[in-house]
Amino acid sequence: MIQVWLRPGTQKAVASGHPWVYRNQIDPEAGDLASMPSAEPGSLVTVHDSRGRYLGSGFYNPRSMITVRLLTHRLETPDDSLIVRRIEEALAFREANRRPDTDSYRLVFAEADRLPGLIVDQYGDTVVLQVLALGMERWQETAAACLVEKLRPARLILKNDDPIRLKEGLELYQRAYYGDLARQVTIRENGLLMKADLDQGQKTGYFLDQKANHDRLRRFCAGRRVLDAFCYSGGFALNAAAAGAVAVTAVDISPEAVTLALVNAELNGLSEKITFASANAFDFLREAVAKRQSFDTIVLDPPAFAKSHGARDGARRGYKEINLSAFRLLGPGGILATHSCSYHMPQPMFIETVMEAAWDARRTVRLLAVHRQDFDHPVLGGYPESHYLKSLWVEVIA
Ligand code: SAH
């Protein structure tokens, strides 16, 4: 394997378990790169600090800002058996934490399961596999064959259509690796039936990361009027209705999402309780405040406002605005479940922003709990990017 050496003083994160080497950390004048223009894109390399000390092995892509993704920090050569072992570990962790009323899980969460660039989602008897990094493409066959053998699914779909692949130099396609190319599947989450759109849907078809929080909402719903802002396919809204909410309002800017949420409500006999609106949630919240409407429980689950460190201030303003409106719509005893899925909005900053919004709305509040993404999106030590979803549960006291 070709040796990639890092510039002096840049090894700290990698030496503490981080799986990424950025282009600007690499010393082009040292290691094997000193004598060759580049390593083969997608090939395996070893990574060393500026004195040549071994840090780990992974795959190399000169086109990507994240130029090396490490598969191991130990002295071992990544091969098929390492990939299979990692998949087995990931499956065992899900198996140990599986809940009886939920049949869909993220089985492999890429770097957080030490399989950089590999996503595997289970939707009932369907497995969806997605490769997001050039170097992982060569192990796609190994991974897919292993998953079919171990899980015996009805189908395994290669959903390699995320535009992020273009940046890696990979083409976009979808095809069935095993079984048929299903476009829609019906999954079970917390005892509810949910249709997931594997073709045009967001993520690989469903926000599996919010399952546990959907369930947590249930205890704040009986006899209450609930607002689910940024509802996508209705995960929070349906759990609220199933848990005895008297009325649920669900809002999403995407008409396709609202249609899917409506279908899901009908599928569970809950459509009479839920009012759907296809609208910009910022406007919806502002207008609800202007009309002096009120709710007892509100969920905010917007898309990532901060996609980079530089976008943080703008994102903060966005979070502030929607949380401020939400607090204005809640009275004493009201519950706000508010989320941020931007890694670039750190948890302390998000809490501070939400607390400022409460203060500006003249509400006295109690922070009941702070949760994160569900267990099947694990948080890996040394890789802080794997903790991305913050879920704050706030009660209005006065
Ligand atoms: N709460 C959902 C996931 C929400 S993902 C669940 O638990 O499954 C974020 C959603 O916000 C997406 O469906 C997206 O269509 C929607 N969205 C993005 N911008 C929006 C806006 N300005 N107003 C309302 N919805 C928006």
Side-chain angles (χ1 to χ4, degrees):
M1 285 188 278
I2 285 175
Q3 291 195 8
V4 170
W5 287 34
L6 304 188
R7 294 181 195 278
T10 64
Q11 77 288 351
K12 190 160 174 273
V14 175
S16 319
H18 204 287
W20 293 342
V21 175
Y22 289 98
R23 186 182 296 146
N24 60 12
Q25 284 173 266
I26 295 175
D27 187 346
E29 307 297 331
D32 290 329
L33 292 183
S35 56
M36 58 189 345
S38 171
E40 186 71 26
S43 65
L44 285 171
V45 297
T46 57
V47 175
H48 304 257
D49 70 11
S50 62
R51 287 174 303 159
R53 195 171 61 107
Y54 175 82
L55 296 172
S57 302
F59 43 77
Y60 181 84
N61 185 359
R63 285 180 66 160
S64 174
M65 279 284 291
I66 301 170
T67 306
V68 184
R69 290 171 199 260
L70 295 177
L71 278 153
T72 181
H73 289 74
R74 290 173 198 245
L75 202 54
E76 59 187 343
T77 304
D79 57 9
D80 279 356
S81 74
L82 180 88
I83 301 294
V84 167
R85 210 161 67 233
R86 290 280 156 81
I87 290 176
E88 284 170 352
E89 282 167 15
L91 295 181
F93 177 60
R94 275 62 178 186
E95 208 44 57
N97 291 281
R98 207 168 252 281
R99 298 184 287 261
D101 49 359
T102 298
D103 68 2
S104 298
Y105 298 88
R106 174 149 291 188
L107 300 179
V108 176
F109 186 33
E111 273 81 342
D113 282 301
R114 299 187 299 155
L115 288 162
L118 180 66
I119 300 284
V120 181
D121 286 337
Q122 174 184 24
Y123 291 109
D125 59 4
T126 298
V127 174
V128 178
L129 184 154
Q130 193 165 59
V131 167
L132 300 171
L134 178 64
M136 187 47 81
E137 185 91 342
R138 68 148 81 169
W139 277 300
Q140 174 169 279
E141 174 69 33
T142 305
C146 167
L147 289 160
V148 168
E149 185 200 315
K150 301 217 177 300
L151 301 169
R152 302 255 158 237
R155 57 190 72 78
L156 187 148
I157 294 168
L158 302 177
K159 187 172 163 58
N160 284 331
D161 61 352
D162 192 309
I164 217 169
R165 283 173 58 92
L166 298 173
K167 287 195 191 161
E168 288 278 318
L170 291 164
E171 49 174 358
L172 305 187
Y173 66 92
Q174 287 189 39
R175 73 177 167 85
Y177 170 83
Y178 175 78
D180 60 316
L181 187 63
R183 313 285 56 198
Q184 269 210 342
V185 291
T186 303
I187 66 169
R188 240 156 54 82
E189 185 212 78
N190 304 330
L192 293 166
L193 296 174
M194 294 282 192
K195 276 199 193 303
D197 182 344
L198 305 185
D199 182 24
Q200 298 297 322
Q202 301 189 34
K203 292 260 196 173
T204 65
Y206 192 77
F207 285 85
L208 292 170
D209 53 359
Q210 285 287 29
K211 299 184 300 298
N213 293 323
H214 291 162
D215 190 41
R216 289 190 174 100
L217 182 66
R218 288 179 173 239
R219 58 179 283 232
F220 302 110
C221 292
R224 287 171 166 254
R225 297 159 303 153
V226 179
L227 171 64
D228 177 4
F230 309 90
C231 69
Y232 189 52
S233 59
F236 284 109
L238 268 72
N239 276 274
V246 286
V248 181
T249 305
V251 182
D252 199 284
I253 203 167
S254 150
E256 292 80 19
V258 171
T259 304
L260 187 57
L262 182 58
V263 168
N264 284 335
E266 282 165 357
L267 199 58
N268 293 279
L270 296 169
S271 54
E272 280 183 10
K273 277 197 187 175
I274 311 178
T275 308
F276 292 96
S278 169
N280 184 328
F282 283 80
D283 299 338
F284 181 93
L285 290 163
R286 220 179 287 126
E287 283 162 24
V289 171
K291 287 191 265 178
R292 298 184 175 278
Q293 290 180 335
S294 67
F295 293 93
D296 305 309
T297 298
I298 298 180
V299 178
L300 300 177
D301 186 19
F305 290 152
K307 293 232 155 65
S308 67
H309 186 83
R312 199 185 264 192
D313 287 346
R316 230 187 128 135
R317 281 194 295 278
Y319 288 117
K320 178 82 177 277
E321 178 178 340
I322 55 175
N323 283 282
L324 180 66
S325 295
F327 282 121
R328 290 194 167 131
L329 296 169
L330 290 167
I335 295 286
L336 174 64
T338 184
H339 299 88
S340 164
C341 59
S342 307
Y343 165 70
H344 298 284
M345 171 63 48
Q347 182 160 297
M349 188 184 282
F350 185 52
I351 295 178
E352 188 179 290
T353 306
V354 172
M355 293 299 135
E356 277 173 19
W359 188 251
D360 287 4
R362 298 192 161 63
R363 297 288 187 267
T364 305
V365 298
R366 182 148 56 206
L367 182 55
L368 296 179
V370 181
H371 295 291
R372 58 175 171 87
Q373 69 256 18
D374 203 359
F375 82 92
D376 52 352
H377 296 60
V379 176
L380 181 70
Y383 177 46
E385 286 83 350
S386 56
H387 176 206
Y388 65 99
L389 181 65
K390 281 78 62 187
S391 177
L392 309 188
W393 295 70
V394 183
E395 181 181 4
V396 176
I397 304 170

